[in-house]
Amino acid sequence: MTDLDDHYPALSDLYDRARRRVPRFVWEYLDSATGGESAKHANTAALDAICLTPRILSPVEPDLTTTLMGRKWSLPVGIAPVGMSGLIWPGAEVELARAAARAGIPYCLSTVAAATPEEVGSATADHGWFQLYPPRDPGIRRDMLSRARNSGFKTLILTADVGTPSRRERQRRARLTNPMRLTPHIVAQAALCPAWSFATLRSGTPRLRTLEPYAHGGAGGTTGHIGYQLRVSPDRAYLEALRAEWDGPLVVKGVLHPDDAASLDGIADAVWVSNHGGRQFDAAPAAARALPAIRAALPDMPLIADGGVRSGTDVLRLIALGADMVMLGRAFHHGYAALGPAGIDHAIHILRTGMLADMGQLAIVTPPEVRARL
Ligand code: FNR
């Protein structure tokens, strides 16, 4: 990794290279949030504001091994679900799954991925989580659950923060449709990025492949359109039905209010504190803001958190506030779009070595000990 470390020492270097390599409409899809993007900016600002106080004269051998929901992971880091990863660069879902398995971290496949659970399952090598946008039709729900289970996904993530569509203005301006329509506007942007265009031509137009069997009359329209045709805003009864149908770990994603978190005690195995990368509600607090009250409400519940993480230091900051596992969405896609599979490995390496360096500074052996350095 020495060479990559010199050229791309930070995740921001992968961000810069990815941005140059993908067409503008793809970048707008990945990078954008909703509204004025204050929730997205709040994610990074809230992390930047957290200080952790180093200690001296106590050398340590840090150990990043993390246990979550009864399972060991090599780092307290994982890959968050991102819809249409394969649009950002072809093959993303399988390569992210493989990289996660190599590193011993979880990879979460989205319902609205460009690859199916059947295609990605074996690449996860038992490191896969499946994220569910809750289908309105219980028959479709049961079918999706059995496809995920039969493909080797043992942990289910219910994303609960997408009840109503958000406006995502940048995405609209970029005029991205699903399936991708080759308008002159799109072709002109793609022509400026030949490596992306050739790779995409070779692998075929990225589509919402998991949903296709359920999209009667074909998978036309925008990503939001098909997704919203199928999905429902889940209530307590829905969650209970899902709990009855899924015998593995069940996680609820998109929680920001401590009362909502408390209501999940006894039914969810973990709570995922997230504002969806700022893509759903522009006035939503950052996970970093919401975590302390949620941790106070649920002292023993495993907590997962995400949003705006750009370094190992940020991972430790979220753990300091109460998270047990920290997920990143966009950053791993920057790594893959920048450098292919080696870019995902490199992003994980940046996070791992950053955490190890910081834990030396903080004189802590395990990540949760960081809570004593706030
Ligand atoms: C997402 N996210 C998301 N979440 C989810 O539960 N299902 C999904 O299909 C998607 N799709 C998606 C697409 C894109 C392009 C982005 C950027 C994000 C949210 C994602 O899981 C995670 O919460 C955020 O990405 C975390 O913020 P960072 O790490 O991207 O800043």
Side-chain angles (χ1 to χ4, degrees):
M1 289 287 179
T2 317
D3 206 24
L4 288 184
D5 260 345
D6 291 342
H7 287 96
Y8 308 99
L11 294 183
S12 58
D13 298 298
L14 298 173
Y15 172 102
D16 291 340
R17 184 171 159 87
R19 185 178 199 160
R20 290 196 297 275
R21 278 168 57 84
V22 303
R24 190 179 152 268
F25 64 90
V26 171
W27 185 258
E28 290 301 284
Y29 168 63
L30 177 64
D31 193 56
S32 62
T34 199
E37 307 207 333
S38 39
K40 179 179 142 183
H41 295 302
N43 286 347
T44 47
L47 288 167
D48 286 345
I50 296 159
C51 291
L52 304 170
T53 306
R55 299 295 303 267
I56 60 166
L57 301 178
S58 328
V60 290
E61 282 281 334
D63 176 5
L64 292 171
T65 314
T66 296
T67 301
L68 185 80
M69 295 183 284
R71 155 122 198 218
K72 272 199 171 173
W73 304 94
S74 63
L75 299 177
V77 167
I79 304 180
V82 164
M84 293 295 285
S85 287
L87 169 74
I88 294 147
W89 205 279
E93 287 86 356
V94 165
E95 294 303 342
L96 288 162
R98 286 189 180 138
R102 277 196 294 279
I105 65 174
Y107 166 65
C108 189
L109 178 69
S110 165
T111 306
V112 290
T116 61
E118 291 82 357
E119 289 163 328
V120 179
S122 63
T124 67
D126 203 30
H127 292 69
W129 297 353
F130 184 74
Q131 175 266 325
L132 187 75
Y133 278 138
R136 188 184 311 277
D137 177 338
I140 294 180
R141 176 178 74 217
R142 285 192 278 274
D143 190 59
M144 276 194 200
L145 296 185
S146 77
R147 290 175 63 192
R149 194 182 295 113
N150 294 341
S151 305
F153 294 85
K154 300 203 178 78
T155 297
L156 184 70
I157 314 296
L158 171 69
T159 298
D161 60 5
V162 291
T164 47
S166 57
R167 292 195 52 78
R168 309 221 180 140
E169 294 83 347
R170 269 172 72 187
Q171 212 170 290
R172 285 170 193 249
R173 279 182 212 113
R175 295 199 199 97
L176 177 65
T177 58
N178 194 295
M180 198 170 63
R181 271 201 299 276
L182 294 180
T183 60
H185 181 78
I186 296 289
V187 171
Q189 291 175 26
L192 297 173
C193 299
W196 180 91
S197 298
F198 285 128
T200 300
L201 281 174
R202 262 201 313 273
S203 66
T205 310
R207 309 189 312 270
L208 301 179
R209 309 232 348 214
T210 303
L211 296 185
E212 275 180 353
Y214 318 116
H216 306 296
T222 63
T223 300
H225 180 65
I226 304 171
Y228 285 105
Q229 263 181 8
L230 286 173
R231 79 176 68 140
V232 71
S233 193
D235 57 12
R236 181 80 191 180
Y238 194 104
L239 179 62
E240 281 165 8
L242 197 61
R243 175 73 283 179
E245 288 163 4
W246 184 263
D247 53 9
L250 174 64
V251 180
V252 179
K253 176 172 186 278
V255 180
L256 291 167
H257 198 290
D259 293 350
D260 288 340
S263 78
L264 297 171
D265 201 10
I267 186 158
D269 297 288
V271 169
W272 188 325
V273 183
S274 169
N275 68 11
H276 211 115
R279 290 164 83 81
Q280 288 306 108
F281 177 43
D282 203 18
R289 285 267 181 141
L291 262 170
I294 292 179
R295 177 45 84 205
L298 287 173
D300 301 320
M301 174 73 90
L303 296 183
I304 301 166
D306 72 23
V309 172
R310 295 150 304 160
S311 63
T313 310
D314 286 344
V315 174
L316 287 171
R317 285 171 158 144
L318 283 180
I319 294 173
L321 297 172
D324 298 295
M325 172 74 80
V326 173
M327 310 293 280
L328 294 84
R330 296 179 182 93
F332 291 119
H333 292 74
H334 300 149
Y336 183 52
L339 298 168
I344 313 168
D345 295 340
H346 185 55
I348 297 168
H349 163 81
I350 289 171
L351 294 165
R352 179 192 293 113
T353 51
M355 288 186 72
L356 290 172
D358 289 353
M359 288 166 75
Q361 286 288 318
L362 294 162
I364 57 174
V365 176
T366 66
E369 289 170 44
V370 69
R371 291 172 197 151
R373 299 289 183 268
L374 258 181

